[in-house]
Amino acid sequence: MDDLLAARSQMALSLGFHIIFACIGMVMPFFMATSHYLYLRFNDEQYRNLTKAWSKGVAIFFVTGAVSGTILSFELGLLWPQFMEHAGPIFGMPFSLEGTAFFIEAIAIGFFLYGWDRFNKWFHWVTGVVVGISGIASGILVVAANGWMNSPEGFDYVNGEYHNIDPIAAMFNDAWFTQALHMIVAAFVATGFGVAGIHAIMLLKRKNIRFHLKAFKIALVFGAVSAIAQPLTGDVAAKDVAQRQPAKLAAMEAHFETEDHADLIIGGIPDEEKRTVDYAIRIPGALSYLAHGDFDARVTGLNDIPAEYHPPVLITHFAFQIMVLFGMALVALSILFFIARWKKKSWIMKKWFLRLFIAATPVGFIAVEAGWTVTEVGRQPWIIYGIMKTKDAVTPMPGIFYSFILFTIVYISLAAVVTFLLYRQMKMVPVLYDANGDDPGDSLYLN
C-alpha cells in the first residue's frame, strides 16, 4: 500500500466512523426533546424514563463524536498539509463557526442532563432543543466545508496562487445547500430506523414493552417522514452534480458516451476498458430527465472528459446503486409503517412487522456510508475540484500505512466501548409495573 492509498484509507476510515456518531449526535436530541415534550404534555412517566435514557445516549454520542471529529481535524493537517496550506485561509470560517456550535451544544447538554427538577420545566425542555439545533448547525457547517471542496469559490486562482479571498462566499458555495439538505435528511433517516430497530429487538424479546413501543414509534415517525422526503433531496443534489461535476455524474451512472435521450442505468457491472455496463436495466431517456429535467437533454459521458480526470467508475457506480437501493427500501418500509399507524394498528406488535424493522436497523447507515463514498470517490482525482489533485496534497512523511493500522485499532476499540455503554444503558431502564406487578404492555403483544 503506497502512502497516497494509505492516507486516503485512513481518512475514509475516520470519516466512516465519525459520520455514524455525527448522524446520531445530530438527530437523537430531537427524539429526546419529543419524548420530553410528551412527558410535559401528558405527565406519563414512561416518556420521562425514555427522555432520560435517550439523553444519556446523546451524551455518549456527543463525547464520541467530539473525539472522532477532533481526530479528523488533526488528520487534515497531518495527512494533507499542502491542502491545508492553500485551503485553510479560504474555508476555515465554517470550521471556526462549527467550534462555536460545538461549545453551545456542550453547554446545553450539561444544562439538560443536570437540570431535572432544578430549572423551570419548559426552560429545561428548551435546553434539549438547543442541543439538537446546535448539532444540526455543526453538521451543516462541516458539510459546507466539504461542499467547498466540490465547488471551490470565494477566491481568484492566478498562476498557482490564491487572491481576493472571500470566506463568506467560500462557505456559501454552490454545493453547500444541496449537500447539507441531503445529508441532514439522511441523518434523520438512518438514525430513525437505527433507533427504531434497536427498540424493535427489545419488543420482540418482550422487554419493558410500553417503554420500547413509545420509543419505536417516535423514532420511526422521524425516520419514515425523512425517508419519504429523501428522494426529493437526492433529486436536487443529483441535478446540482450534473451541472457542476459531470464526471462524477457519469461515474455514478456508468455513463461512458455523451448522448441525448440518455438511459438511466439500474444495477449492472461497468467495464471501463470496453466502456460497457453488463447485466444492467436501462430506462430510456430517464437519465436526461433526472439530470436536466428534459427527456431529450444531452448528458456528458466519460468519453468527453480526459481520462486522467475520470473518477473510479466501478466504486462510484456501485456505491450510488447501494445508496439508491437501500434508500428506496426504507421508503417502502416507511409507507408500510404509516399504513400500520393509520389503518392496521395491530400490525405494529406482530413479529413479522418487528422483524422487518430489525432487519432495517443498519440499512440507513449503510446508505449514508455509500453516499459519502459517492461524494468523495466521485470527486477524484481532485481534492479541490478542478484546482488541486489529491496526489499533490498528501504528506511526504513515510510510514502512513502503520498510522492507518493504528487508527483502525483505535476506532474498532471506540466502537466496542460505545456499543457496551449503550447496551448497559438499555438494560438499566426501569420497568413501570401495574398494581398487580405486571408489565401492562404485555396485553399489546401479539404473535
Side-chain angles (χ1 to χ4, degrees):
M1 181 182 288
D2 62 26
D3 286 344
L4 176 59
L5 181 57
R8 289 184 61 192
S9 298
Q10 182 174 325
M11 203 72 193
L13 174 76
S14 299
L15 180 61
F17 270 90
H18 176 70
I19 199 169
I20 295 175
F21 302 140
C23 285
I24 299 173
M26 283 191 296
V27 174
M28 279 290 292
F30 291 99
F31 298 179
M32 176 186 77
T34 300
S35 63
H36 192 190
Y37 173 81
L38 293 171
Y39 164 64
L40 296 176
R41 179 73 175 80
F42 299 109
N43 197 31
D44 185 336
E45 285 296 314
Q46 292 283 9
Y47 286 121
R48 179 185 173 95
N49 290 341
L50 179 56
T51 304
K52 287 191 170 185
W54 274 348
S55 68
K56 292 173 183 176
V58 167
I60 291 170
F61 280 105
F62 173 79
V63 172
T64 310
V67 171
S68 58
T70 301
I71 292 173
L72 273 172
S73 299
F74 281 118
E75 285 178 335
L76 281 173
L78 294 173
L79 299 177
W80 314 103
Q82 293 298 316
F83 167 70
M84 291 305 295
E85 178 184 351
H86 293 278
I90 304 172
F91 81 150
M93 178 171 285
F95 281 122
S96 299
L97 294 176
E98 193 274 337
T100 302
F102 172 82
F103 284 123
I104 293 173
E105 185 178 5
I107 294 168
I109 285 178
F111 277 10
F112 190 84
L113 290 176
Y114 298 102
W116 288 98
D117 303 320
R118 292 181 176 89
F119 295 142
N120 173 278
K121 63 180 183 179
W122 290 109
F123 174 78
H124 184 216
W125 176 77
V126 167
T127 63
V129 176
V130 171
V131 174
I133 293 173
S134 55
I136 292 291
S138 293
I140 290 173
L141 289 164
V142 170
V143 173
N146 182 267
W148 180 84
M149 296 166 69
N150 287 295
S151 180
E153 298 173 39
F155 61 93
D156 295 325
Y157 188 65
V158 182
N159 297 325
E161 297 183 352
Y162 301 83
H163 302 280
N164 303 321
I165 293 173
D166 183 350
I168 299 296
M171 182 168 65
F172 295 109
N173 55 79
D174 286 344
W176 83 270
F177 177 76
T178 55
Q179 280 195 210
L181 178 65
H182 194 53
M183 181 63 230
I184 297 304
V185 176
F188 274 92
V189 176
T191 306
F193 277 89
V195 172
I198 292 170
H199 289 285
I201 292 172
M202 304 307 291
L203 287 172
L204 203 59
K205 291 182 176 180
R206 304 186 70 165
K207 302 289 187 181
N208 206 348
I209 292 174
R210 289 183 64 240
F211 172 89
H212 291 292
L213 183 59
K214 291 179 185 297
F216 177 76
K217 289 179 179 179
I218 291 173
L220 261 189
V221 167
F222 277 98
V225 170
S226 301
I228 291 171
Q230 185 69 326
L232 302 177
T233 71
D235 179 66
V236 172
K239 284 181 167 61
D240 181 61
V241 168
Q243 295 295 326
R244 292 184 299 96
Q245 295 177 297
K248 180 183 285 187
L249 179 71
M252 288 161 55
E253 293 290 344
H255 184 65
F256 290 105
E257 305 295 330
T258 298
E259 60 182 346
D260 302 329
H261 197 69
D263 296 349
L264 177 68
I265 294 176
I266 300 175
I269 302 175
D271 187 326
E272 295 184 58
E273 291 186 3
K274 296 179 180 178
R275 294 180 177 271
T276 59
V277 185
D278 300 322
Y279 315 112
I281 299 171
R282 295 177 177 270
I283 304 177
L287 180 58
S288 292
Y289 181 78
L290 291 174
H292 302 292
D294 181 353
F295 283 103
D296 295 317
R298 173 162 293 191
V299 179
T300 302
L302 290 167
N303 65 308
D304 277 345
I305 299 169
E308 62 178 310
Y309 300 148
H310 287 188
V313 176
L314 189 68
I315 296 174
T316 307
H317 179 69
F318 280 170
F320 180 68
Q321 296 293 311
I322 289 170
M323 179 185 70
V324 173
L325 174 64
F326 283 8
M328 296 311 296
L330 294 181
V331 170
L333 281 179
S334 299
I335 294 171
L336 181 68
F337 169 68
F338 284 122
I339 291 173
R341 286 280 289 172
W342 293 330
K343 298 293 185 180
K344 300 287 185 178
K345 295 185 183 298
S346 63
W347 284 2
I348 291 180
M349 289 303 296
K350 295 282 189 180
K351 288 184 178 180
W352 65 265
F353 188 86
L354 294 174
R355 284 172 177 154
L356 283 175
F357 288 94
I358 291 170
T361 303
V363 169
F365 291 109
I366 295 172
V368 167
E369 299 285 7
W372 271 103
T373 300
V374 172
T375 299
E376 299 303 296
V377 176
R379 188 179 60 243
Q380 299 307 312
W382 305 103
I383 192 168
I384 305 176
Y385 188 72
I387 294 177
M388 178 183 286
K389 289 186 175 181
T390 307
K391 67 179 182 180
D392 297 327
V394 71
T395 178
M397 179 185 69
I400 300 176
F401 173 75
Y402 300 104
S403 173
F404 169 55
I405 296 299
L406 175 63
F407 276 87
T408 300
I409 295 171
V410 168
Y411 276 111
I412 291 174
S413 301
L414 190 61
V417 170
V418 171
T419 301
F420 169 74
L421 290 174
L422 292 174
Y423 176 74
R424 191 179 69 170
Q425 286 300 128
M426 189 70 70
K427 290 184 66 176
M428 292 173 63
V429 174
V431 180
L432 297 179
Y433 296 103
D434 60 20
N436 297 320
D438 299 321
D439 180 354
D442 281 336
S443 61
L444 304 173
Y445 193 84
L446 300 172
N447 293 325

Short mmCIF file of all heavy atoms in Angstrom, two decimals, residues 92 205 288 413 444:
data_model
loop_
_atom_site.label_atom_id
_atom_site.label_comp_id
_atom_site.label_asym_id
_atom_site.label_seq_id
_atom_site.Cartn_x
_atom_site.Cartn_y
_atom_site.Cartn_z
N GLY A 92 -11.70 28.15 6.20
CA GLY A 92 -11.58 27.99 7.64
C GLY A 92 -12.77 28.49 8.43
O GLY A 92 -13.02 28.04 9.55
N LYS A 205 -38.33 -9.28 22.21
CA LYS A 205 -37.95 -10.04 23.41
C LYS A 205 -38.93 -9.82 24.56
O LYS A 205 -38.74 -10.38 25.65
CB LYS A 205 -36.55 -9.62 23.86
CG LYS A 205 -35.44 -10.04 22.91
CD LYS A 205 -34.08 -9.62 23.46
CE LYS A 205 -32.96 -10.12 22.58
NZ LYS A 205 -31.62 -9.71 23.12
N SER A 288 -31.48 11.66 -18.73
CA SER A 288 -31.58 13.03 -19.24
C SER A 288 -32.61 13.82 -18.44
O SER A 288 -32.37 14.98 -18.08
CB SER A 288 -31.96 13.01 -20.72
OG SER A 288 -30.93 12.49 -21.51
N SER A 413 -11.89 -0.21 18.73
CA SER A 413 -11.99 -0.19 20.19
C SER A 413 -13.05 0.81 20.63
O SER A 413 -13.86 0.54 21.54
CB SER A 413 -10.64 0.16 20.81
OG SER A 413 -9.65 -0.77 20.43
N LEU A 444 -50.39 -5.81 24.83
CA LEU A 444 -50.23 -5.29 23.48
C LEU A 444 -49.54 -6.28 22.56
O LEU A 444 -49.54 -6.10 21.34
CB LEU A 444 -49.43 -3.98 23.50
CG LEU A 444 -49.97 -2.84 24.37
CD1 LEU A 444 -48.97 -1.70 24.41
CD2 LEU A 444 -51.31 -2.36 23.83
#
